[in-house]
Amino acid sequence: MQIGSVSNVVTQALDGLTLRQQVIAQNIANLNTPGYTPLRVDFESALQGMEGAGPLILPDTRMTPTGSPSGAAAELSRQVSQLADTALRYQTLIKGINKQLAIMQLVVSDGRR
């Protein structure tokens, strides 16, 4: 795999994670809205197949029933957990990019700092 193709995959992953964060924030904002169906973003399947298709926004059928206060609290907990997971994945990709750029800078500078 060439550097350009890795860069494209990482860019798509970062875009997908950004969209996922926005959808999770929307889910949290509408947690107590009657009739609102939480959404989820699936971009990993597009990355695995490298089909060029963008992320998919789908209804989240795994949601916790929010008819009771405990159900709403459980759903909020799940959404916050997904938000933390998304942030961690995003940070990990950014750190990887920074490492790759540092290595490239070292090569270009011929090992001198």
Side-chain angles (χ1 to χ4, degrees):
M1 190 176 277
Q2 297 176 351
I3 291 176
S5 62
V6 171
S7 176
N8 290 339
V9 171
V10 171
T11 300
Q12 287 180 346
L14 289 171
D15 289 345
L17 289 168
T18 299
L19 181 60
R20 180 176 284 164
Q21 185 273 335
Q22 292 169 347
V23 168
I24 292 170
Q26 179 179 332
N27 289 343
I28 291 171
N30 291 299
L31 188 63
N32 292 322
T33 303
Y36 178 76
T37 302
L39 302 172
R40 66 183 176 87
V41 175
D42 177 32
F43 67 91
E44 288 89 355
S45 58
L47 286 177
Q48 287 175 354
M50 289 303 295
E51 300 160 356
L56 298 175
I57 300 176
L58 307 167
D60 193 351
T61 56
R62 304 167 296 171
M63 71 177 207
T64 306
T66 58
S68 67
S70 62
E75 181 62 19
L76 177 61
S77 176
R78 189 171 74 81
Q79 292 292 329
V80 170
S81 173
Q82 289 178 353
L83 189 60
D85 177 72
T86 299
L88 183 62
R89 290 172 187 252
Y90 192 92
Q91 290 171 358
T92 302
L93 284 172
I94 294 296
K95 284 181 181 180
I97 289 171
N98 287 337
K99 288 278 189 188
Q100 182 180 14
L101 290 174
I103 291 169
M104 291 171 71
Q105 184 178 14
L106 187 63
V107 169
V108 169
S109 68
D110 206 24
R112 289 178 247 131
R113 292 217 171 225

